[in-house]
């Protein structure tokens, strides 16, 4: 019999519905193919359960596609699905027809085993039940072909084993998962327990019968591995798990790829392309319009020696800009940079002595502002210096010289000075905002023409895909090749307000690392992460609630449902706030 041609190890059967999928599973190493009407219907876009409905002649549908697409293309044994519900029941004649058509054997499908027990009993009394399915397969086997019997209970399995059928496959229900899949009713452990008991029964009756499993919660190879750890099996038959689920995920993934390609920034002109390439050496990532505009100004400022004020929001990475500003002096060497964080200084006097020096310490350590070995000095949070010290700094920067405390000698400012303010500030009202944040009017006025605003992430969301790839590349193997985003998830990220900027993005990537699923990240996984970040960000950037609502509405195409989701509030709450702030128009 043809069953002897199958390997003696673990068998893999594939119930497929098209020639293209047949070639794929054959290349993948399947041992045999099943041509059943459920497979053909799956390829027509309807659920497998439609195979049990009187919508098409099951035998005719199966035989047509099996002849044209499977037998004509495949070398592996093909078992054709047969049923006993026709007007005539002639097992011997049907077996001859199966052999003449060139099939290697048969399988009982569609089968009575999918019906309820009362329905099965009615069909049995009418001479079209499980017993007749076993008799038909026995006739096929007696004609020298291979037979596989689908069963769903111990009683059915016993009938097949008593008849000495080649293969018995326990079908544990329609496959779960995918776009049209069923919900699981049984756990993997429950399935394994049932398979172990039925498998033992079959082997006691007929040790030569090979026992296989199909359906239910087994949706991936790891699910089968869990079953095998609890129950011995001779093989596995995949229907939707081989014929539908991989197609859905691979096609969806490919469409995702094309969609994400369309979401990337448009082609840059030559000048913008040069700017982006120039910026990469300093650690910049991105090519959005606002980002390129910032790079254009940064490159112009980098050629000068004048002091620079960088304004960035909390969570933004300002180090690439600092590197670019110090590149002229550093050339190919590493940049000799000193960073002074006023927010961490214990006393304003300490910051004063570090910057301007003191007569008592000048012999051993020159003031930072006059140290020729230092190429760039970054003063973080200059607004926290005393007003008097800020005015002194403004005059020193303006004159290019300063007088050390306790001394009449004037010293030249040697390094390039970069002031770095971290708080939310609007481009149009930057002067007022800087004053409100504590920057002295004299210092703010002097730096007005030499201020560089780093665009926040919410203004360059088209760079998200590039930023994610950049973060992944820097953190291999933590998240590289393990974290992909679906198109819907990327759209969710682009609609987010990003109050924490790049730092928030990095935090989210870190929380997603090591997630159990290898499939692309879906929007529902991001909701709790983005909502918590929004709450923190509102406290950080100080924007009004009205501004946040307007921004969320704009970013979500004025869809109130999506805006409410992005803000982490209910639609009813959003409606009330829209009414409160007079935004209903």
């Amino acid at each position: 019999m043809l069953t002897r041609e199958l390997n003696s190890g673990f068998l893999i059967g594939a119930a497929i519905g098209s020639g293209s999928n047949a070639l794929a599973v054959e290349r993948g190493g399947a041992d045999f193919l099943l041509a059943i009407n459920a497979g053909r219907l799956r390829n027509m876009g309807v659920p497998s359960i439609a195979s049990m409905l009187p919508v098409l002649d099951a035998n005719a549908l199966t035989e047509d596609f099996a002849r044209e697409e499977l037998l004509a293309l495949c070398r592996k044994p093909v078992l054709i699905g047969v049923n006993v519900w026709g007007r005539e029941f002639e097992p011997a004649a049907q077996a001859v027809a199966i052999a003449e058509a060139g099939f290697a054997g048969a399988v009982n499908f569609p089968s009575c085993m999918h019906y309820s027990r009362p329905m099965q009993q009615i069909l049995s009394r009418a001479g079209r039940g499980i017993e007749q399915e076993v008799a038909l397969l026995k006739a096929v086997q007696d004609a020298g072909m291979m037979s596989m019997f689908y069963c769903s209970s111990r009683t059915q399995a016993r009938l097949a084993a008593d008849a000495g059928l080649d293969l018995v496959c326990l079908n544990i229900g329609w496959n779960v998962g995918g776009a049209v899949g069923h919900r699981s009713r049984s756990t993997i452990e429950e399935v394994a327990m049932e398979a172990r008991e039925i498998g033992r029964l079959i082997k006691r009756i007929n040790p030569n019968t090979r026992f296989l499993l199909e359906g239910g919660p087994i949706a991936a190879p790891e699910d089968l591995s869990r079953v095998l750890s609890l129950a011995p099996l001779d093989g596995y038959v995949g229907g939707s798990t081989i014929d539908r689920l991989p197609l859905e995920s691979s096609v969806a993934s490919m469409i995702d790829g094309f969609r994400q390609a369309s979401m990337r920034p448009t082609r840059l002109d030559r000048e913008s392309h040069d700017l982006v390439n120039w910026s990469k050496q300093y650690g910049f990532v991105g090519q959005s319009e606002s980002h390129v505009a910032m790079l254009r100004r940064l490159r112009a400022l980098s050629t000068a020696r004048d002091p620079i004020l960088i304004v960035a929001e909390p969570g933004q990475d300002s180090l690439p800009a600092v590197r670019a500003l110090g590149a002229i002096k550093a050339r190919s060497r590493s940049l000799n940079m000193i960073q002074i964080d006023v927010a961490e200084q214990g006393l304003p006097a300490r910051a004063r002595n570090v910057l301007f020096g003191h007569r008592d310490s000048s012999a051993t350590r020159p003031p930072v502002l006059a140290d020729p070995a230092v190429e760039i000095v970054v003063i973080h949070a200059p607004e926290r210096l005393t007003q008097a010290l800020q005015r002194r700094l403004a005059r020193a920067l303006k004159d290019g010289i300063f007088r050390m405390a306790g001394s009449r000698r004037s010293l030249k400012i040697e390094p390039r000075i970069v002031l770095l303010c971290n708080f939310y500030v609007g481009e149009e009202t930057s002067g007022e905002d800087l004053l409100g944040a504590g920057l002295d009017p004299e210092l703010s006025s002097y730096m007005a023409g030499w201020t560089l605003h780093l665009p926040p992430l919410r203004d360059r969301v088209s760079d998200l895909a590039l930023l994610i790839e950049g973060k992944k590349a820097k953190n291999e193997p933590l998240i590289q090749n393990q974290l992909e985003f679906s198109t819907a998830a990327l759209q969710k990220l682009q609609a987010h307000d990003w109050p924490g900027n790049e730092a928030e993005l990095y935090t989210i990537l870190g929380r997603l690392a090591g997630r159990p699923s290898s499939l692309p990240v879906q929007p529902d996984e991001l909701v709790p992460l983005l909502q918590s970040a929004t709450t923190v960000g509102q406290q950080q950037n100080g924007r009004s609630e009205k501004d946040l609502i307007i921004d969320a509405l704009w970013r979500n195409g004025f869809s109130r449902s999506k805006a409410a989701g992005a803000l982490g509030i209910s639609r009813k709450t959003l409606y009330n706030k829209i009414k409160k702030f007079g935004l209903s128009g």
Side-chain angles (χ1 to χ4, degrees), residues 221-240:
E222 50 266 29
D223 298 329
L224 180 61
S225 294
R226 290 171 59 191
V227 174
L228 286 170
S229 67
L230 300 172
L233 298 172
D234 296 313
Y236 170 75
V237 175
S240 293

Side-chain angles (χ1 to χ4, degrees), residues 545-546 548-553 556 558-584:
E545 189 177 25
K546 180 178 179 180
L548 291 169
I549 291 174
I550 293 173
D551 189 70
L553 287 168
N556 290 277
F558 295 94
S559 167
R560 296 184 179 186
S561 297
K562 292 181 180 179
L567 291 168
I569 60 178
S570 68
R571 285 188 299 175
K572 183 177 180 180
T573 301
L574 178 61
Y575 293 155
N576 291 336
K577 291 183 181 295
I578 288 175
K579 185 177 180 180
K580 172 185 175 182
F581 294 119
L583 303 175
S584 57

Side-chain angles (χ1 to χ4, degrees), residues 267-324:
R267 187 177 181 85
L268 299 172
D269 56 39
R270 172 172 287 186
E271 187 244 355
S272 298
H273 186 268
D274 290 343
L275 276 171
V276 169
N277 283 339
W278 168 81
S279 70
K280 289 179 180 178
Q281 61 184 312
Y282 305 115
F284 284 106
V285 175
Q287 56 188 55
S288 62
E289 184 178 347
S290 61
H291 183 68
V292 170
M294 182 276 296
L295 293 178
R296 185 177 295 110
R297 177 164 174 77
L298 174 62
R299 185 157 70 172
L301 294 174
S302 68
T303 61
R305 286 289 313 279
D306 301 78
I308 299 294
L309 171 62
I310 297 178
V311 178
E313 292 187 7
Q316 286 188 274
D317 186 5
S318 56
L319 186 57
V322 173
R323 291 196 191 105

Side-chain angles (χ1 to χ4, degrees), residues 189-511:
E189 289 70 26
E190 290 170 337
V191 167
M193 293 294 292
E194 183 179 9
R196 184 167 60 183
E197 294 303 316
I198 293 180
R200 286 176 176 175
L201 172 66
I202 291 173
K203 295 296 183 179
R204 283 199 302 267
I205 297 173
N206 189 344
N208 295 324
T209 295
R210 302 179 77 173
F211 178 55
L212 298 85
L213 190 64
E214 178 185 7
I218 301 177
E222 50 266 29
D223 298 329
L224 180 61
S225 294
R226 290 171 59 191
V227 174
L228 286 170
S229 67
L230 300 172
L233 298 172
D234 296 313
Y236 170 75
V237 175
S240 293
T241 53
I242 291 176
D243 198 38
R244 173 174 60 85
L245 296 178
L247 179 66
E248 287 182 1
S249 61
S250 62
V251 171
S253 177
M254 185 62 70
I255 296 298
D256 251 359
F258 287 123
R259 179 69 66 188
Q260 291 184 26
S262 72
M263 294 168 67
R264 291 188 175 95
T266 55
R267 187 177 181 85
L268 299 172
D269 56 39
R270 172 172 287 186
E271 187 244 355
S272 298
H273 186 268
D274 290 343
L275 276 171
V276 169
N277 283 339
W278 168 81
S279 70
K280 289 179 180 178
Q281 61 184 312
Y282 305 115
F284 284 106
V285 175
Q287 56 188 55
S288 62
E289 184 178 347
S290 61
H291 183 68
V292 170
M294 182 276 296
L295 293 178
R296 185 177 295 110
R297 177 164 174 77
L298 174 62
R299 185 157 70 172
L301 294 174
S302 68
T303 61
R305 286 289 313 279
D306 301 78
I308 299 294
L309 171 62
I310 297 178
V311 178
E313 292 187 7
Q316 286 188 274
D317 186 5
S318 56
L319 186 57
V322 173
R323 291 196 191 105
L325 291 172
I328 297 298
K329 291 196 70 174
R331 293 187 179 92
S332 61
R333 299 176 291 101
S334 59
L335 183 63
N336 187 0
M337 174 175 62
I338 288 182
Q339 300 193 60
I340 301 172
D341 192 345
V342 179
E344 295 181 359
Q345 301 296 326
L347 296 170
R350 184 180 176 190
R352 181 194 62 192
N353 291 341
V354 170
L355 291 170
F356 295 98
H358 191 274
R359 179 180 56 187
D360 297 337
S361 61
S362 61
T364 57
R365 185 177 59 216
V368 167
L369 295 181
D371 191 342
V374 178
E375 292 157 333
I376 188 166
V377 174
V378 182
I379 304 175
H380 296 264
E383 71 278 2
R384 297 201 178 190
L385 294 170
T386 63
Q387 296 296 106
L389 194 54
Q390 288 189 53
R391 287 193 292 272
R392 182 180 179 186
L393 178 61
R395 292 164 190 162
L397 296 177
K398 180 180 179 180
D399 299 336
I401 58 174
F402 67 95
R403 183 174 295 176
M404 186 170 56
S407 172
R408 296 184 178 182
R409 185 163 61 98
S410 295
L411 301 175
K412 179 184 177 182
I413 295 181
E414 296 288 349
R416 186 170 196 181
I417 309 302
V418 176
L419 309 180
L420 181 56
C421 294
N422 281 112
F423 48 79
Y424 179 81
V425 55
E427 183 73 37
E428 296 180 357
T429 58
S430 59
E432 297 176 7
D433 286 340
L434 289 170
L435 292 176
L439 209 62
D440 182 79
E442 186 173 351
L443 182 59
S444 176
S445 176
Y446 176 70
M447 301 302 302
W450 297 87
T451 299
L452 176 71
H453 291 265
L454 301 186
L457 187 52
R458 64 179 173 277
D459 289 344
R460 47 185 297 236
V461 289
S462 60
D463 286 335
L464 273 173
L466 296 175
L467 287 168
I468 290 171
E469 289 303 314
K471 294 293 186 184
K472 287 167 61 178
K474 290 181 180 179
N475 291 276
E476 186 178 0
L478 178 62
I479 53 180
Q480 190 172 22
N481 300 323
Q482 298 180 10
L483 194 59
E484 300 294 336
F485 290 83
S486 67
T487 299
L490 273 179
Q491 291 173 339
K492 185 77 174 177
L493 292 177
Q494 289 186 332
H496 184 53
D497 192 50
W498 294 108
N501 292 290
E502 289 95 327
E504 180 186 346
L505 174 62
Y506 185 67
T507 297
I508 289 174
L509 293 178
R511 288 177 177 172

